[in-house]
Amino acid sequence: MAFAVLSSVHPVFGLYGSLFPAIIYAIFGMGRHVATGTFALTSLISANAVERLVPLSSQNLTTHSNTSVLGLSDFEMQRISVAAAVSFLGGVIQAAMFVLQLGSATFLITEPVVSAMTTGAATHVVTSQAKYLLGMKMPYISGPLGFFYIYAYIFKNIKSVRLEALLLSLLSIVVLVLVKELNEQFKRKIKIVLPVDLVLIIAACFTCYCTNMENTYGLEVVGHIPKGIPPPRAPPMNILSAVITEAFGVALVGYVASLALAQGSAKKFRYSVDDNQELLAHGLSNVIASFFFCIPSAAAMGRTAGLYGTGAKTQVACLVSCIFVLIVIYAVGPLLYWLPMCVLASIIVVGLKGMLIQFRDLKKYWNVDKIDWGIWVSTYLFTVCFAANVGLLFGVVCTVAIVIGRFPRAKTLSTKTMKEMEFKMKTEMDDETLQQVKIISINNPLVFLNAKKFHTDIMNIIQKENTGNQPLDEIRKYEQSTLLTSLSGICNEEATQPCLNPKCSLILDCSGLTFSDYSGVSMLVEVYMDCKNKSVDVSLVHCTASLIKAMKYCGNLDSEKPIFFESVSAAISNMHLNKNLSISDPSEV
């Protein structure tokens, strides 16, 4: 309901937007812990089209004319028609991107760009709620530098602030933040997490009803919430050309933020999501839901966090939550008439805490790669000064341009130029036990353009299944073939075979790694952690001091044993000492 207000439509349409997209994504999406529904960034973008095509000044002409749809006015129906058109066209764009397989192009959008864009957009959302938090009446302000015009208007009309609304907003924010922090601190000790948002809504409605705050203090309330779901209706096709800018913003910003959330949950719970399939899932969620008066949707951060907290493992949990949304639509909705808008705005602001605290990422980027720090700051400023889609576009262009400038022209982006060598170790305890060590030389800069490919190639080398039970003769035949193919200097699926022994070791020679950005450093740390989980020892040699510092800052590396060495021979000697191994033929190395 809060995000429906943010989208400049009646609050009831936020309930529909929390129902239909979630059901559709549960069928087509791959994120097991991702809950799709109303989203702050897409709501803010669609509000631009709603306010431009159906401004508040036109309300006086239609406010007394009611339609047959839930008893809402023509003005409210015109507004939701515009928002539904934005959702429809945004979904069509996402579906077209799926057909063109453009999901694979998301590697161009780096983590600093996504972090800066979402933080800037969250700043816009908080600013848009200032009028409700302060209880002020103010016109809709948007466009370039609209962020600053809003605050200029607030300071110019500071005397019109309602003290009651301000105090209630501050009290709501303090209660929400405090209880949520306590829930987070003691979530392992308590079995039931207090749903503070729900408790606050019930308490605010009851207090406002008993004290008649709407008439006594002039506080703005949600108002009438109609029951039921209206029959489906196609969005108006005659205004699609007028909302194409907002539709592109919804398609790109919504997808990027949703994919980042899906990939984060997939990485946390160790499964994978397909970028193109996510395009189809979100595209259908927007297209189909637009026929049911839904505002543009994307992955809902707060709802997804709720799935984490309840221990959900599949989309069935999201479908169960949809049952409760139906109960609200058919039974509870009318009881929310007395909910103050300042409390609803407070819920929005606190819900954006996860995005706003991304300012802390600045320290991380400064320590890992100062150029990424500069990209974050500039992308954030462009987002705040203009819009989320403009900031996203600037961040991508700026990142690609800087990498092209840093990349040595004589080098190639492909990691297939990695040189791979193998040598065998035999334990003094058991001559038949073979220890396989792979030495891989990284001869390219490691940046967002090739980081994912680098991870894939490394993982292809490492065996995922334990085949240590194979006969020794087969292993020796395999050794001969790998020794022959490893001399070619090509690392691909045909020429590279996975380790046969689950206790193999990997040495990464970083002498050719001239530079790396945050994505590259993060991928190196991820390779180390993945190899560690597969019982593969990893050593890095010829690393620069800046790379060592960045990796230690970026990830929780093993502090018990050294992983950085000055040379390959030093790494091999360390393996020999730790595992009490002797090299059978030093000349082979």
Side-chain angles (χ1 to χ4, degrees):
M1 290 173 60
F3 292 142
V5 174
L6 180 61
S7 193
S8 298
V9 298
H10 194 278
V12 72
F13 298 117
L15 296 176
Y16 306 152
S18 298
L19 176 64
F20 295 104
I23 296 174
I24 298 166
Y25 181 84
I27 299 173
F28 295 97
M30 296 187 67
R32 302 172 192 171
H33 302 80
V34 175
T36 302
T38 55
F39 185 51
L41 307 189
T42 54
S43 297
L44 187 66
I45 294 173
S46 66
N48 292 331
V50 172
E51 294 287 350
R52 188 180 75 251
L53 298 179
V54 190
L56 197 62
S57 58
S58 64
Q59 183 178 11
N60 296 329
L61 303 176
T62 59
T63 186
H64 299 294
S65 176
N66 291 338
T67 65
S68 59
V69 181
L70 300 176
L72 296 175
S73 65
D74 287 335
F75 173 75
E76 294 291 355
M77 296 310 300
Q78 289 174 14
R79 287 201 148 194
I80 187 58
S81 295
V82 174
V86 175
S87 177
F88 175 81
L89 187 55
V92 170
I93 293 172
Q94 289 174 331
M97 293 170 65
F98 164 75
V99 173
L100 298 175
Q101 297 291 290
L102 294 181
S104 57
T106 52
F107 70 91
L108 295 172
I109 306 173
T110 61
E111 183 179 329
V113 172
V114 175
S115 174
M117 183 270 293
T118 52
T119 307
T123 307
H124 271 296
V125 174
V126 172
T127 302
S128 69
Q129 297 304 296
K131 62 180 180 180
Y132 298 115
L133 296 171
L134 302 175
M136 294 179 62
K137 298 287 185 181
M138 61 183 298
Y140 182 79
I141 301 174
S142 63
L145 304 181
F147 173 85
F148 303 101
Y149 291 136
I150 291 175
Y151 285 105
Y153 182 91
I154 291 174
F155 286 114
K156 186 178 179 180
N157 300 273
I158 194 70
K159 293 182 179 180
S160 62
V161 174
R162 290 189 178 274
L163 185 60
E164 298 84 0
L166 177 59
L167 292 176
L168 187 55
S169 300
L170 291 175
L171 179 62
S172 301
I173 291 174
V174 169
V175 170
L176 287 170
V177 172
L178 184 61
V179 176
K180 285 178 181 286
E181 286 295 325
L182 291 176
N183 282 339
E184 188 66 25
Q185 291 291 331
F186 298 101
K187 64 181 180 180
R188 294 183 179 179
K189 297 181 180 180
I190 56 178
K191 294 182 179 180
I192 301 176
V193 177
L194 178 65
V196 61
D197 303 79
L198 180 61
V199 174
L200 178 64
I201 288 174
I202 295 173
C205 290
F206 182 76
T207 304
C208 186
Y209 173 76
C210 294
T211 59
N212 195 17
M213 288 185 179
E214 182 183 13
N215 298 319
T216 305
Y217 302 106
L219 286 183
E220 186 178 357
V221 296
V222 170
H224 174 63
I225 304 294
K227 285 184 180 180
I229 299 175
R233 179 190 296 179
M237 301 298 170
N238 58 329
I239 64 171
L240 293 182
S241 59
V243 299
I244 189 169
T245 303
E246 288 80 10
F248 267 104
V250 165
L252 296 178
V253 174
Y255 172 68
V256 169
S258 300
L259 184 63
L261 199 60
Q263 290 178 339
S265 64
K267 184 178 179 180
K268 181 177 181 180
F269 296 98
R270 299 195 173 278
Y271 62 91
S272 61
V273 294
D274 183 78
D275 299 349
N276 287 301
Q277 182 64 28
E278 289 296 291
L279 269 175
L280 177 63
H282 288 290
L284 293 177
S285 296
N286 278 309
V287 170
I288 298 175
S290 66
F291 288 82
F292 294 90
F293 304 97
C294 294
I295 60 178
S297 64
M301 184 174 294
R303 202 167 172 182
T304 302
L307 291 181
Y308 286 168
T310 56
K313 296 182 179 180
T314 67
Q315 281 291 326
V316 175
C318 190
L319 294 177
V320 171
S321 70
C322 291
I323 297 176
F324 289 94
V325 175
L326 277 174
I327 295 175
V328 173
I329 291 175
Y330 281 97
V332 184
L335 301 178
L336 301 175
Y337 176 96
W338 298 98
L339 179 61
M341 291 298 296
C342 59
V343 175
L344 209 55
S346 301
I347 294 174
I348 291 179
V349 171
V350 176
L352 294 171
K353 177 190 172 186
M355 293 185 187
L356 294 173
I357 62 175
Q358 290 179 131
F359 279 109
R360 297 186 300 189
D361 292 345
L362 284 171
K363 182 180 179 181
K364 175 176 64 177
Y365 297 131
W366 179 265
N367 284 279
V368 175
D369 186 16
K370 293 178 175 58
I371 292 180
D372 278 338
W373 181 90
I375 291 174
W376 195 102
V377 173
S378 58
T379 301
Y380 174 81
L381 292 176
F382 263 77
T383 302
V384 167
C385 293
F386 299 99
N389 49 351
V390 176
L392 179 64
L393 180 62
F394 170 81
V396 172
V397 172
C398 184
T399 303
V400 173
I402 289 176
V403 167
I404 292 176
R406 294 173 74 185
F407 230 101
R409 299 193 175 213
K411 299 292 184 181
T412 173
L413 293 180
S414 175
T415 55
K416 288 185 179 181
T417 57
M418 293 190 303
K419 295 178 180 179
E420 178 189 350
M421 297 176 292
E422 299 175 357
F423 66 91
K424 297 180 289 296
M425 288 181 172
K426 292 185 178 179
T427 61
E428 296 176 348
M429 301 293 295
D430 185 0
D431 290 339
E432 293 185 355
T433 302
L434 295 177
Q435 173 70 26
Q436 189 180 53
V437 178
K438 288 180 178 290
I439 305 174
I440 297 178
S441 177
I442 307 175
N443 295 326
N444 293 322
L446 193 56
V447 294
F448 70 95
L449 292 173
N450 61 352
K452 192 172 182 180
K453 178 74 165 59
F454 169 79
H455 180 273
T456 303
D457 286 350
I458 293 293
M459 291 299 109
N460 285 338
I461 294 174
I462 300 172
Q463 181 184 7
K464 296 181 181 180
E465 297 181 0
N466 187 355
T467 56
N469 295 327
Q470 291 185 2
L472 188 61
D473 292 338
E474 293 185 12
I475 295 178
R476 286 171 178 168
K477 291 179 181 179
Y478 170 74
E479 290 163 7
Q480 295 176 358
S481 63
T482 53
L483 288 174
L484 289 175
T485 56
S486 64
L487 299 178
S488 62
I490 299 175
C491 179
N492 54 33
E493 294 181 0
E494 290 76 21
T496 305
Q497 300 293 335
C499 298
L500 280 178
N501 196 305
K503 295 182 180 180
C504 63
S505 298
L506 181 68
I507 298 177
L508 296 179
D509 183 0
C510 301
S511 57
L513 186 59
T514 53
F515 72 88
S516 58
D517 61 3
Y518 177 80
S519 299
V521 174
S522 300
M523 194 57 69
L524 270 177
V525 174
E526 185 175 341
V527 165
Y528 171 79
M529 299 304 297
D530 288 346
C531 291
K532 183 179 178 181
N533 293 332
K534 298 178 186 298
S535 301
V536 176
D537 293 330
V538 179
S539 302
L540 290 91
V541 301
H542 298 133
C543 298
T544 61
S546 60
L547 179 61
I548 296 174
K549 177 184 176 182
M551 288 188 65
K552 288 181 177 179
Y553 190 88
C554 195
N556 297 322
L557 302 180
D558 194 349
S559 58
E560 297 180 358
K561 58 182 180 180
I563 63 172
F564 299 101
F565 300 93
E566 294 182 356
S567 63
V568 175
S569 59
I572 295 173
S573 299
N574 180 74
M575 293 178 188
H576 173 66
L577 293 174
N578 289 342
K579 298 183 178 180
N580 197 22
L581 299 174
S582 60
I583 300 176
S584 58
D585 186 3
S587 62
E588 190 177 2
V589 179

